[in-house]
Amino acid sequence: MTFTHSNIAPKKCIQEAFDADEHAQNLTRWQQQYDQLTPGRFYGRLDEITLPAIQVFKEHTGQALRQDCRVWDDSLWLGIPSHPAGSRINGQPLEAQEVMCRPGGRDFELVTPEAFDIYGLVIRLPLLRAAAERQGITLDEQWTVTPRRHANPATLRALIFLLDRLLSQQHGAIAEKLHQDILLTGLLELMDAQQPSGELPPSYVHRKAVVDRVKQYVDEHLEAPMTMEALCELTHVSRRTLQYSFTTILGISPLQFLRLTRLNRVRRALRAAEPPTTVTEIATYWGFWHLGQFAHDYKQQFEEYPSQTLSRSS
């Protein structure tokens, strides 16, 4: 049998990274930034195949992360974790038999645990709507509104099987139109089972607003030192409410958030630095005045000294 180039999907791309933010840049056409939350050497792997209007991937991340993400416009992303425990999307904890979903062109936030594996599927919305119309399926618009949805267990297992088989393809050509149609059928069956997730507690909206206010302020005042008292004044809440808000939405305390945010920003700056920039200049810029303690904290978090990060960038 003879295959033409138009019938063959692009070769599977496998990328490995030993820095969280470098790994974030490996996913094609996504805009992402990852902060490493747990201490230790990072390892990430991405297996990806792109069909004409569908992107399929499996992502492994060894450390817990806070991820700021945005997928390409006019699309829908579905994320299916192998084990959802410990993961959050927009501050909402994922439960068993739930999938994550976000439309393209909108920012969203993931918090993922250590040793996390997730299957991802991005599809262009015109193709999805056309396929649904052909099959007589009315798409529930809640798929583009709510970030998590319950899924029929059998349908979910079948879709994971399809994704895994496609991504494990090692040799030989595959008919891209056939595989795209198979994935579309499985995806539509999943989306047609309209099972909304459980109601969020009344405190969710307020606590997420508190966390978002702090994140916005930190982004707008990069160099400003922050204390718990200042954060309470900024958000007009008590220390206890501030603490509950962060542990509920991000799974870490406000002080952990501030410390880890600064450490990850230092690491980005070190990786992007050009001579004659020094570690001392970057560390003090981000508010680390005790350089011995900073070097210790950095080594504990990333399993290398800041000077090693800087030397690789140079």
Side-chain angles (χ1 to χ4, degrees), residues 22-47:
E22 177 188 347
H23 176 75
Q25 310 310 313
N26 285 339
L27 191 54
T28 305
R29 297 186 64 191
W30 284 60
Q31 298 177 38
Q32 300 192 111
Q33 181 172 285
Y34 288 3
D35 278 358
Q36 181 175 325
L37 300 182
T38 49
R41 184 168 174 79
F42 177 83
Y43 171 74
R45 170 172 167 147
L46 184 69
D47 294 56

Side-chain angles (χ1 to χ4, degrees), residues 99 167 282:
V99 299
L167 289 166
I282 293 175

Side-chain angles (χ1 to χ4, degrees), residues 83-85 93-99 149-151 156:
H83 302 286
L94 212 66
E95 299 175 0
Q97 310 304 330
E98 282 188 333
V99 299
R149 299 278 290 181
H150 276 294
L156 194 57

Side-chain angles (χ1 to χ4, degrees), residues 2-3 90 128 198 218 230 235 252 304 309:
T2 302
F3 293 97
N90 288 350
L128 180 64
V218 170
T235 54
I252 55 177
E304 67 179 17
T309 308

Side-chain angles (χ1 to χ4, degrees), residues 210-211 213-235 239 242 246 254-259 261-262 265 286-287 289:
V210 168
V211 173
R213 180 71 183 98
V214 171
K215 289 194 297 185
Q216 179 185 1
Y217 186 87
V218 170
D219 285 340
E220 293 173 353
H221 302 79
L222 299 179
E223 304 88 356
M226 297 294 295
T227 63
M228 286 289 284
E229 290 72 20
L231 294 181
C232 291
E233 184 176 345
L234 172 72
T235 54
R239 178 184 286 259
L242 185 69
F246 269 83
L255 291 181
Q256 284 177 300
F257 168 77
L258 293 175
R259 174 181 169 276
T261 296
R262 286 194 300 148
R265 285 176 174 170
W286 289 106
W289 299 101

